Structures are given as structure tokens and as C-alpha cells.
């Protein structure tokens, strides 16, 4: 069985089902979320920008470069080995988050859904593609795609903590609805786009035998046990 294709079909089918289920309730859920008590809205405003692509992409890219330099400059085999591992880790995050950013921004431009701030004027289902205006780039949610790829990568690297990473991604995703930036279906699509990028990047790195390996069933598994002794 082609595991990357199977994973893609599963993820995109899940996304389609969730989006179809949420779209009829987008307007009502969005209005309800924005009417929550002010302290709850303030909390979500405080955490929502954790899901920005910029700091994730620049941060992982810079750290990968630093680790690369340390790996090649260090005379200590231990330090060089750890730097090599760090370089691979940050490279995986860079590829995952960078590809999610490119894909989600392409989809935003092609679909052109109006954001909730235009709900009264245009309704919840207005599509105006290729405007270049961020108010018509609601679907999918970029913040949700960012945390979907970020926490998705962590979930693949540390499987035993997957529920924690899922909770973190959902928390930031829901915050986008509460602060009025996106509809629930935008968030669901964004999270799953990000997760798909994390899974596909893991397959790619496993093919290269870098950071991941393919197990007997053809699924990517981390070559390093982050919660125990190293496997390589």
C-alpha cells in the first residue's frame, strides 16, 4: 500500500467531512464565539498570535543554520553529533512549516472567502478569489495551518505526547474563531492542511533516512527516542 497516498486520502477526506459539517453553522458559531465573556476573549487574543508562520519559519531556519555551523566547526564528536541531530530537527520543522505556509496561502488566494468581519455585509459564504486583500483570505486559516504543522511535527516526533500537542493546536485554532478572524470551517481546514504537511515531510525525511525511518508497515517513525535513550 502507498502509505503517503493513503495518509493524504485519509486527511483530506476528514477535512472535507469536517468542513461540510461546519459550514452550515459557521455564521452562528462565529457570532456565539465573539459574544463570549470579555475575559475569555482577552485570553484568546493573548494566545492567538502564537500561530503565526513568521516566527516559526524564521526561527527554525535560523536554528538549523546555527546547528549546521556548530556541527561542522566543533572538534568534539559529542557536540558535533548533537548539533547534527539539532540541524535535522530544525530542518524538518522548516520544511514542514514552510510548505504549510506556501500551500495555505495559495488556497487562500484561490478561494477568496470573506472573513467574519464582513459577515453582515457579505454573509458567511462570499467567495472573491485573487483579490490580494487579506479580508478575502479567510479559508483556510493560516494560524491554524501553522500550529497544525508545528504541533503535528511534534506529534510525529514524540508519539506518546500526541494528545497534548493536539490540544495545543485546537486551542490556538479555536482562538481564531473567538477573536473573530475565522469561521470554524476555516480552522478545521487549516489544522488538517498543517497536519498533512507534517506527515508528508516525515515520509520525505524517512525516504532519505534522516531523522525518521520507515517501519515494517511503511510508516515514518522517529529514529531518536525523545523520551528515552537514543536509537542511533
Amino acid at each position: 500500500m502507498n502509505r503517503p497516498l493513503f495518509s493524504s486520502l485519509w486527511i483530506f477526506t476528514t477535512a472535507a467531512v469536517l468542513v461540510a459539517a461546519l459550514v452550515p453553522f459557521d455564521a452562528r458559531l462565529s457570532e456565539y464565539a465573539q459574544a463570549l465573556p470579555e475575559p475569555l476573549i482577552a485570553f484568546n487574543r493573548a494566545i492567538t498570535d502564537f500561530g503565526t508562520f513568521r516566527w516559526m519559519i524564521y526561527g527554525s531556519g535560523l536554528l538549523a543554520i546555527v546547528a549546521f555551523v556548530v556541527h561542522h566547526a566543533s572538534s568534539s564528536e559529542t557536540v558535533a553529533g548533537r548539533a547534527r541531530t539539532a540541524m535535522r530537527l530544525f530542518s524538518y520543522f522548516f520544511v514542514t512549516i514552510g510548505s504549510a505556509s506556501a500551500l495555505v496561502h495559495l488556497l487562500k488566494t484561490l478561494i477568496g472567502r470573506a472573513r467574519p468581519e464582513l459577515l453582515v455585509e457579505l454573509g458567511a459564504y462570499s467567495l472573491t478569489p485573487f483579490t490580494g486583500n487579506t479580508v478575502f483570505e479567510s479559508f483556510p486559516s493560516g494560524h491554524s495551518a501553522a500550529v497544525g504543522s508545528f504541533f503535528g511535527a511534534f506529534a510525529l516526533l514524540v508519539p506518546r505526547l500526541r494528545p497534548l500537542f493536539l490540544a495545543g493546536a485546537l486551542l490556538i485554532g479555536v482562538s481564531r474563531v473567538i477573536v473573530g478572524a475565522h469561521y470554524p470551517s476555516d480552522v478545521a481546514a487549516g489544522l488538517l492542511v498543517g497536519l498533512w504537511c507534517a506527515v508528508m515531510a516525515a515520509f520525505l525525511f524517512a525516504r532519505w533516512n534522516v531523522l525518521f525511518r520507515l517501519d515494517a508497515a511503511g510508516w515514518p517513525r522517529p529514529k531518536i527516542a525523545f523520551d528515552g535513550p537514543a536509537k542511533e
Side-chain angles (χ1 to χ4, degrees):
M1 179 184 295
N2 187 318
R3 298 302 186 187
L5 178 59
F6 177 81
S7 299
S8 298
L9 289 174
W10 183 86
I11 291 172
F12 287 122
T13 298
T14 302
V17 170
L18 284 176
V19 169
L22 288 170
V23 160
F25 306 101
D26 269 345
R28 184 177 303 175
L29 290 173
S30 181
E31 290 175 333
Y32 173 80
Q34 293 178 62
L36 290 170
E38 180 56 32
L40 185 56
I41 294 177
F43 169 76
N44 281 273
R45 286 199 196 102
I47 67 169
T48 194
D49 280 337
F50 176 84
T52 54
F53 276 116
R54 183 173 298 175
W55 78 264
M56 294 183 187
I57 294 174
Y58 291 165
S60 58
L62 177 61
L63 290 170
I65 293 171
V66 170
F68 175 82
V69 172
V70 172
H71 168 58
H72 286 277
S74 177
S75 59
S76 168
E77 290 186 10
T78 300
V79 173
R82 290 177 178 174
R84 181 184 67 245
T85 299
M87 178 182 65
R88 292 173 176 178
L89 278 169
F90 293 127
S91 296
Y92 170 58
F93 276 96
F94 181 79
V95 170
T96 296
I97 297 164
S99 60
S101 175
L103 178 57
V104 81
H105 283 95
L106 174 63
L107 291 173
K108 282 174 174 288
T109 300
L110 292 174
I111 296 170
R113 186 182 192 183
R115 291 184 184 269
E117 64 188 83
L118 297 177
L119 175 61
V120 174
E121 180 181 350
L122 299 177
Y125 311 110
S126 174
L127 303 179
T128 312
F130 304 109
T131 64
N133 189 332
T134 58
V135 298
F136 293 100
E137 295 182 351
S138 190
F139 185 94
S141 164
H143 282 61
S144 300
V147 294
S149 60
F150 183 76
F151 286 115
F154 272 115
L156 289 163
L157 290 165
V158 193
R160 73 186 185 94
L161 295 181
R162 281 176 183 169
L164 178 63
F165 299 132
L166 173 62
L170 286 174
L171 180 65
I172 302 300
V174 169
S175 76
R176 301 305 291 160
V177 179
I178 293 176
V179 302
H182 287 284
Y183 294 106
S185 61
D186 302 337
V187 169
L191 288 172
L192 287 162
V193 164
L195 174 62
W196 180 77
C197 289
V199 172
M200 292 302 107
F203 275 113
L204 179 63
F205 275 62
R207 296 287 184 188
W208 294 337
N209 198 31
V210 174
L211 197 61
F212 291 91
R213 60 179 175 81
L214 293 176
D215 64 15
W219 298 106
R221 296 287 183 264
K223 294 176 68 178
I224 299 171
F226 292 94
D227 52 353
K231 293 183 177 179
E232 68 170 6

